[in-house]
Amino acid sequence: MPQGLGGILPLVLMFVLFYFLLIRPNQKRQKAVNLMQSSLKRGDKVVTIGGLHGTIDSIEDATAVIKATDGSKLKFERSAIREVKESAPEKELV
């Protein structure tokens, strides 16, 4: 084995290990979050990154108005929504 290859091989293996353990899972997680935030709709029960639980009252391009349980309405960026607890039922076309 040439001397130069023996010094580079551990660096290449370390990069491959980092890719599969850190970079790739993070990309998958970010893709799932982006999909969730782009598919938000009125009536979804959501939780924000600050822990506010509420229901989406209206939605715009970059913001969503969330109605809390006490009836107050707060405007949040879409990116501030952490998860959808319960999706609004789909309306049937009749």
Side-chain angles (χ1 to χ4, degrees), residues 71-91:
S72 60
K73 293 181 182 180
L74 302 166
K75 189 177 223 180
F76 284 90
E77 294 290 319
R78 277 186 188 233
S79 59
I81 297 174
R82 182 179 64 200
E83 66 179 302
V84 176
K85 286 290 194 180
E86 185 180 320
S87 188
E90 295 290 327
K91 294 185 179 177

Side-chain angles (χ1 to χ4, degrees), residues 48-68:
T48 66
I49 57 175
L52 175 84
H53 291 249
T55 305
I56 295 181
D57 189 57
S58 66
I59 197 133
E60 296 174 11
D61 290 336
T63 61
V65 175
I66 299 176
K67 186 175 182 179

Side-chain angles (χ1 to χ4, degrees), residues 32-46:
V33 167
N34 288 342
L35 179 64
M36 179 271 301
Q37 289 174 347
S38 67
S39 65
L40 292 171
K41 60 189 176 298
R42 187 169 192 241
D44 286 351
K45 294 185 186 308
V46 296

